[in-house]
Amino acid sequence: MTELIVENVQKWLGGLQILKGASFTATRGSIVALLGASGSGKTTLLRCIAGLEQPEIGKIVIGGKTVLNGEAKLALPPEQRNIGLVFQSYALWPHRTVRDNVGYGLKLRGVNGDETAKRVQAILDRMGLGHLADRFPSQLSGGQQQRVAICRALVYEPRVLLLDEPLSNLDAKLREEARYWIRKLILDLEICAILVTHDQGEALAAADNILLLQDGRIVQEGAPHEIYTNPNSFYSADFLGANNIVNGKIERVDGGIAVFGGNGWTLGGTVRGGGPVSAGSDARAVIRVEQIAVSDQPAPDAIEMELDDSIYLGDKWEYRLRRGDFAARAHGTRKMEPGKVYARIPAESVWVFPNGA
Amino acid sequence: MSPDNQAAARVAVAPPSHAFVPAPKTPKVANAGLFRVIVIGLLAIAVLAPVGLIVYQSFLNAPFFSARAKLSLDAYAYVLNDPSFYKALGTTAMFAFGMVAVAVPLGGILAFLITRTDIRFKRTLEVLVLVPMFISSIVLAFGYTVSIGPTGFLSLFVRDIIGFVPWNIYNLPGMIVIAGLSHVPHVYLYVSAAMKNLPSDLEEAARTSGANIWQVSRDVTLPMVLPSLIFAASLNILLGFETFGIPLVLGDPNGIMVLTTYIYKLTTLFGTPTYQLMAVVAMVLVLITIPLVWMQRRLLRNSRRYAALGGKGARVSTLKLGRGGQITALSVIALWLFVSVGLPVGGITVRAFVNAWGEGVNLFSQLTFANFDGLLEVPSLVRGMINTMILSVVGGALAVGIYLLIGLAGHRNNGISNTVLDYIVLLPRALPGLIVGLAFFWVFLFIPLLTPLRPTLISLFVAYVVVGLSYGLRLLQGTLIQVAPELEESARTTGATIGRTWRDVVIPIVRPGLAGAWALIMIIFLREYATGVYLMGAGTEVIGSLMVSLLQTGAMSTIAALALISIIMTGAGLALALRLGARIHD
Ligand SMILES: Nc1ncnc2c1ncn2[C@@H]1O[C@H](COP(=O)(O)OP(=O)(O)O)[C@@H](O)[C@H]1O
Ligand SMILES: [Mg+2]
């Protein structure tokens, strides 16, 4: 069931166009991640959905109710949108206890005292915060504050839960744990959630659907696996994963297959990102680090490269490879001595983008 | 939207070059809009009505209530042909600029010593240097009269020793020095705020390149805080144009007039009220002060932008003064404090307890409570004390409530009403208390519905609220702005309307700040003397204005007792403010 429809939302701030026509939909029981570099407009888009910013153009429907319609000059204030928003800073009210923070939304909705107490206790217990109900926010750890903020936004069962970088203030260990339980919670409660993040790992692990934002536009949309393995632009390909970026020239094109090379090397690749490609034009290729297999034994489909160094990373080794002006990183399980090595780089993993794509 | 990525993007993103940018018209969100319109509308009336009446009165040929009053330019003709008007105008200008020349360098040096060096007793000094600001200038001026006036205690003492008095404060230079010294805190306040935000690595870099402390302050600190110095200078010019107490006490006996005392003298110039002439002078004064206020607003906005660029990661470490430096610096501050607080307050204290003094009289043998007993015998003086207490304690609390409502009306309000508010609060700053009081006196005469309120404290209260508006509103806006926007936004997304958010989130969070604001407004109302000069009547006397009228009768003993009471009340208010954690600094 579609809970959220965002249509062609455009927003100007301080004379600059921050959102340039964002459209997407989100359904119940799923998580949509808004992923993008810092400054790409994720927070602004989220705030437009929440009603904290009013876009000049566009339409937003939450749970079947039109909350924004630029043409009709209709814009419902945040309190009439039936949403829950978890702020990056958590924004817990310092003068209220955990119980009063969480219960506020119910109080505003006219739920009576007993019922409120019951529901607040239930959600706090569920998050393992039951014993903290009488504390003030300043007496909680960052992780606890974050869970209280989520309780506060969920307790009145909003149609859409919006989360703005909810994990960015947690330390790395807590973060991986949190993205797992947040996902589980949202799926259990069968609500619709929009998760803003600049962390690709978070988006890939937690979301059902990822919207990749660039400069106020959604440049690609898809399931995590889809968006990771099938990027449609250089930006998408480069934004996700750990990558080698290679500059060179297209030597030959044959359908989707190209021969791509530079000073003293050539690689087979696949042409991506639309646009006409012609032999002789400059291009860039993206090769995911994990797609390069390095061996000290020659193989027919491997190219010979120079290994400059092996760097120990703890769980693996990183190899610094070079051939002419082609430099690359690759991973392996053991230390290799500098010198000649052989790298297997499958053509379908060399994504060639004509310059400008 | 973290502020840092905003800042980064503002720098990085070039101006838009899109061919099509529709006018960003935001759909209206009907919420708290009515409240804002009502509050700002009422405020506009409260400010514009008296101003409008002054303008109207200035174009009449007689007081507005007179039957023969009709539109004319006679009043302008009279004033603009009066040589003593030009003399007063010239004196005012010299007074204002002279005052700045004294106050700005001293205030700057004080700010530098207290914020940027390791001077001893810093905490105490921070409070002490502000004290002159809290004492009304009529009290200060009177204090100088009794301590270093022609027959002041110190003057007589010095004459005993060397045979003559080497100073005279009853002339323009004397007035300028005294006014300059008492306005040092107004400079200190702004310059020290700017200096606190200055990252100290800039100064340290200069020191490590071989500059000594004075070279550092001249070559690094001074240029960096120049905007705040300019701001303080323009503020003091404004205050100079509006001063009433010091010229009245020190200038008037020798016929030295400034614009405010010229207005005051006009009242008594002829047998009949000369409102039209007073209105014309008020117009002239306001036409001078409005551009000053306007300029300050722009300066302040620029300096904020400037401060925002510096501030980041500012770590303030202090310059070492060394032993000699400490002694010199502390002596300078002590001397200034002695002259600008010790002399007047000491003089008043002594004068309040003696009746006779002169050459060869032992003051200790003259000590008496008679002056205070005398106070209690005059009903109007007793009422004055009671009224002053009511106005400052109760009125101060009510005023904080009013400023809070106005503050909320402008809080996170980007609409037209906020622009209106912005401009309205500028006006009272351009109006000296004397003129606000006069204008409200007229308003209460002019509007029949309000006439019954004139002989009550309500009339004074309304005028006080307008006089204190810019200070009080800034105080409350400063408190409101400290509530992080997300705390309000999270209430909104949880389902609260703007009004609910104010009630449940904003006001509870700012409540501690309100108490401090109340104490400060209380002091402002306590020390106010000019506003009541015309407005007070039998039953609505206040201490400050009583002193003004007593000056005409020369009842020095009574004034001394009143002044001491006023100082004690102010001291108590200040102690309360500090106790409540008021942000005296800005
Ligand atoms: N109030 C504002 N005025 C002007 N520009 C703004 C404002 N708020 C945000 N921006 C700009 O909008 C862009 C997108 O900001 P934001 O939505 O916070 O990005 P993200 O959350 O993706 O990091 C940034 O370039 C930011 O500087
Ligand atoms: Mg953001």
Side-chain angles (χ1 to χ4, degrees):
Chain A
M1 196 175 119
T2 304
E3 287 283 32
L4 174 68
I5 304 170
V6 173
E7 236 178 71
N8 187 30
V9 165
Q10 303 192 29
K11 172 76 190 149
W12 280 258
L13 275 173
L16 298 178
Q17 189 172 12
I18 307 294
L19 295 177
K20 298 172 179 163
S23 304
F24 68 94
T25 61
T27 57
R28 210 176 175 139
S30 76
I31 302 177
V32 173
L34 297 178
L35 177 65
S38 170
S40 56
K42 307 175 300 283
T43 298
T44 308
L45 181 53
L46 198 75
R47 290 170 61 85
C48 287
I49 299 170
L52 296 169
E53 304 281 358
Q54 307 301 345
E56 283 76 23
I57 296 176
K59 194 172 164 199
I60 298 175
V61 181
I62 295 174
K65 180 160 89 171
T66 303
V67 296
L68 175 94
N69 187 340
E71 261 163 59
K73 291 267 168 263
L74 165 87
L76 293 187
E79 65 269 20
Q80 289 172 27
R81 294 191 175 196
N82 202 6
I83 46 155
L85 174 52
V86 178
F87 286 78
Q88 188 168 3
S89 60
Y90 312 142
L92 297 179
W93 301 304
H95 61 295
R96 289 168 172 249
T97 59
V98 167
R99 173 178 293 131
D100 292 343
N101 260 285
V102 176
Y104 187 57
L106 294 173
K107 185 174 150 200
L108 289 171
R109 284 163 179 75
V111 178
N112 71 36
D114 291 348
E115 174 72 12
T116 300
K118 224 167 60 206
R119 281 167 69 177
V120 169
Q121 199 56 48
I123 195 158
L124 287 177
D125 285 341
R126 176 178 189 140
M127 301 273 211
L129 295 166
H131 58 296
L132 301 174
D134 291 313
R135 293 220 191 152
F136 283 93
S138 57
Q139 299 165 317
L140 302 179
S141 73
Q144 291 166 338
Q145 288 182 20
Q146 183 230 23
R147 278 179 285 159
V148 174
I150 291 177
C151 287
R152 184 177 69 182
L154 276 179
V155 71
Y156 49 87
E157 294 169 2
R159 299 303 287 256
V160 175
L161 179 68
L162 307 168
L163 306 116
D164 190 2
E165 314 245 7
L167 309 180
S168 64
N169 288 333
L170 300 180
D171 53 45
K173 280 223 172 75
L174 274 178
R175 207 178 302 162
E176 290 190 6
E177 207 41 49
R179 76 185 179 207
Y180 168 74
W181 71 251
I182 287 181
R183 175 166 175 79
K184 192 161 171 325
L185 180 76
I186 288 166
L187 298 188
D188 282 358
L189 296 175
E190 291 207 327
I191 52 173
C192 167
I194 313 293
L195 170 76
V196 159
T197 178
H198 69 272
D199 178 342
Q200 47 160 319
E202 208 170 295
L204 293 169
D208 298 297
N209 202 7
I210 295 179
L211 306 175
L212 188 61
L213 257 80
Q214 179 194 11
D215 194 18
R217 274 196 194 86
I218 295 174
V219 290
Q220 190 168 4
E221 173 176 1
H225 182 258
E226 157 81 9
I227 211 163
Y228 187 82
T229 56
N230 200 9
N232 64 3
S233 68
F234 177 78
Y235 179 82
S236 306
D238 183 32
F239 191 83
L240 292 158
N243 301 307
N244 294 297
I245 310 294
V246 195
N247 287 302
K249 262 192 174 36
I250 295 175
E251 296 184 349
R252 262 179 297 124
V253 207
D254 179 11
I257 308 296
V259 175
F260 177 69
N263 185 9
W265 57 274
T266 53
L267 287 173
T270 42
V271 178
R272 297 193 153 249
V277 195
S278 54
S281 60
D282 288 333
R284 286 177 294 186
V286 175
I287 309 167
R288 299 255 191 261
V289 170
E290 72 271 16
Q291 295 295 339
I292 302 180
V294 182
S295 150
D296 46 12
Q297 300 301 319
D301 52 350
I303 64 166
E304 186 186 305
M305 295 187 81
E306 200 66 35
L307 176 66
D308 285 343
D309 205 356
S310 301
I311 302 161
Y312 184 55
L313 297 181
D315 56 341
K316 59 190 172 232
W317 289 83
E318 179 177 302
Y319 310 126
R320 294 292 178 137
L321 306 166
R322 194 167 42 78
R323 177 169 179 154
D325 57 356
F326 168 36
R329 289 182 301 149
H331 291 154
T333 51
R334 61 194 180 86
K335 182 177 172 70
M336 289 205 277
E337 291 309 318
K340 276 194 175 31
V341 292
Y342 301 90
R344 239 193 354 248
I345 311 177
E348 59 273 20
S349 299
V350 179
W351 297 330
V352 180
F353 295 93
N355 275 1
Chain B
M1 277 191 290
S2 69
D4 45 358
N5 77 27
Q6 274 181 32
R10 260 189 225 120
V11 176
V13 176
S17 56
H18 317 286
F20 166 65
V21 179
K25 242 188 274 150
T26 305
K28 273 276 157 331
V29 180
N31 213 331
L34 188 65
F35 168 81
R36 287 180 162 142
V37 169
I38 291 176
V39 170
I40 295 171
L42 283 176
L43 179 70
I45 294 171
V47 171
L48 294 178
V51 175
L53 202 50
I54 291 177
V55 178
Y56 171 63
Q57 173 67 77
S58 75
F59 289 105
L60 295 180
N61 63 350
F64 58 83
F65 56 77
S66 153
R68 55 180 187 85
K70 55 180 191 309
L71 288 178
S72 98
L73 288 174
D74 287 0
Y76 283 90
Y78 177 89
V79 170
L80 296 179
N81 282 314
D82 181 6
S84 49
F85 165 73
Y86 291 101
K87 197 138 176 277
L89 186 61
T91 309
T92 313
M94 277 195 283
F95 178 79
F97 284 97
M99 192 179 105
V100 167
V102 175
V104 169
L106 249 176
I109 291 171
L110 236 57
F112 179 77
L113 288 175
I114 292 177
T115 56
R116 310 301 296 183
T117 71
D118 62 344
I119 195 164
R120 304 277 307 276
F121 315 116
K122 196 173 274 196
R123 299 252 130 249
T124 320
L125 286 176
E126 274 183 341
V127 176
L128 271 184
V129 297
L130 293 178
V131 165
M133 198 169 77
F134 294 111
I135 306 176
S136 79
S137 64
I138 192 102
V139 170
L140 279 179
F142 179 75
Y144 283 110
T145 304
V146 296
S147 57
I148 55 172
T151 58
F153 301 117
L154 195 67
S155 307
L156 292 183
F157 179 72
V158 169
R159 201 171 65 191
D160 267 355
I161 299 171
I162 60 173
F164 66 101
V165 183
W167 59 72
N168 177 14
I169 54 168
Y170 279 73
N171 56 20
L172 190 56
M175 286 159 55
I176 286 174
V177 170
I178 284 176
L181 290 178
S182 68
H183 281 83
V184 163
H186 292 95
V187 178
Y188 166 82
L189 209 55
Y190 291 96
V191 180
S192 68
M195 283 183 176
K196 273 186 193 141
N197 290 331
L198 212 61
S200 49
D201 43 8
L202 298 176
E203 289 175 345
E204 283 163 358
R207 285 224 87 172
T208 51
S209 342
N212 69 33
I213 187 164
W214 298 113
Q215 288 167 327
V216 170
S217 59
R218 189 192 62 207
D219 300 338
V220 180
T221 320
L222 183 67
M224 298 287 292
V225 298
L226 203 58
S228 70
L229 279 169
I230 295 173
F231 178 79
S234 83
L235 176 76
N236 278 284
I237 290 177
L238 179 73
L239 294 174
F241 270 93
E242 299 186 350
T243 322
F244 175 57
I246 290 173
L248 181 72
V249 177
L250 302 180
D252 203 39
N254 285 340
I256 303 170
M257 272 197 278
V258 296
L259 287 178
T260 48
T261 47
Y262 178 80
I263 293 182
Y264 185 60
K265 288 285 139 185
L266 273 180
T267 336
T268 52
L269 200 61
F270 308 109
T272 51
T274 50
Y275 289 180
Q276 67 279 20
L277 303 184
M278 296 161 85
V280 169
V281 186
M283 290 287 288
V284 172
L285 196 52
V286 169
L287 288 180
I288 296 171
T289 52
I290 282 186
L292 281 171
V293 170
W294 179 255
M295 189 176 101
Q296 277 168 33
R297 193 179 120 99
R298 309 210 40 159
L299 285 173
L300 203 60
R301 224 191 283 152
N302 291 341
S303 75
R304 283 224 183 94
R305 199 174 298 150
Y306 187 74
L309 278 180
K312 194 143 199 195
R315 186 178 55 85
V316 177
S317 74
T318 50
L319 295 168
K320 305 271 172 293
L321 277 179
R323 206 179 134 72
Q326 289 280 2
I327 293 172
T328 319
L330 286 172
S331 315
V332 169
I333 297 179
L335 181 67
W336 169 72
L337 271 176
F338 171 72
V339 175
S340 46
V341 181
L343 277 183
V345 172
I348 287 171
T349 311
V350 175
R351 185 65 186 80
F353 291 103
V354 298
N355 249 332
W357 76 98
E359 268 161 291
V361 178
N362 180 357
L363 284 177
F364 290 101
S365 65
Q366 299 291 330
L367 289 184
T368 169
F369 279 103
N371 298 336
F372 294 95
D373 293 340
L375 278 191
L376 298 178
E377 279 159 22
V378 185
S380 67
L381 299 182
V382 176
R383 281 200 305 269
M385 286 183 270
I386 296 171
N387 288 339
T388 306
M389 286 297 279
I390 295 175
L391 264 178
S392 45
V393 176
V394 182
L398 289 176
V400 169
I402 292 172
Y403 299 148
L404 175 65
L405 290 181
I406 300 171
L408 285 174
H411 187 55
R412 309 203 196 285
N413 174 1
N414 302 316
I416 309 170
S417 60
N418 201 41
T419 317
V420 174
L421 178 64
D422 245 25
Y423 284 97
I424 288 175
V425 296
L426 288 185
L427 254 181
R429 290 191 54 199
L431 297 169
L434 186 75
I435 291 176
V436 174
L438 178 64
F440 270 104
F441 174 62
W442 290 346
V443 167
F444 281 96
L445 283 181
F446 188 72
I447 302 174
L449 208 65
L450 296 178
T451 311
L453 294 179
R454 196 186 61 75
T456 68
L457 281 182
I458 293 174
S459 64
L460 275 157
F461 172 70
V462 174
Y464 275 35
V465 167
V466 170
V467 168
L469 180 66
S470 69
Y471 180 77
L473 194 57
R474 213 184 50 221
L475 217 56
L476 279 158
Q477 281 172 337
T479 313
L480 286 175
I481 208 75
Q482 288 186 327
V483 180
E486 297 100 80
L487 292 181
E488 293 172 47
E489 288 169 355
S490 58
R492 300 295 305 283
T493 58
T494 306
T497 58
I498 292 180
R500 233 12 234 263
T501 305
W502 290 344
R503 211 179 80 198
D504 294 340
V505 176
V506 179
I507 294 177
I509 292 177
V510 301
R511 193 168 290 143
L514 294 183
W518 167 64
L520 290 177
I521 299 291
M522 193 165 85
I523 298 175
I524 299 295
F525 284 7
L526 263 179
R527 47 158 277 177
E528 188 53 49
Y529 62 96
T531 308
V533 165
Y534 294 103
L535 208 49
M536 77 172 183
T540 59
E541 298 87 348
V542 287
I543 292 184
S545 312
L546 278 174
M547 285 192 274
V548 173
S549 50
L550 286 170
L551 268 174
Q552 308 303 305
T553 67
M556 301 300 257
S557 299
T558 316
I559 299 179
L562 278 181
L564 186 62
I565 288 172
S566 162
I567 290 172
I568 291 169
M569 283 183 178
T570 306
L574 200 53
L576 182 67
L578 289 172
R579 204 79 233 197
L580 292 174
R583 300 177 314 136
I584 306 185
H585 283 267
D586 202 9

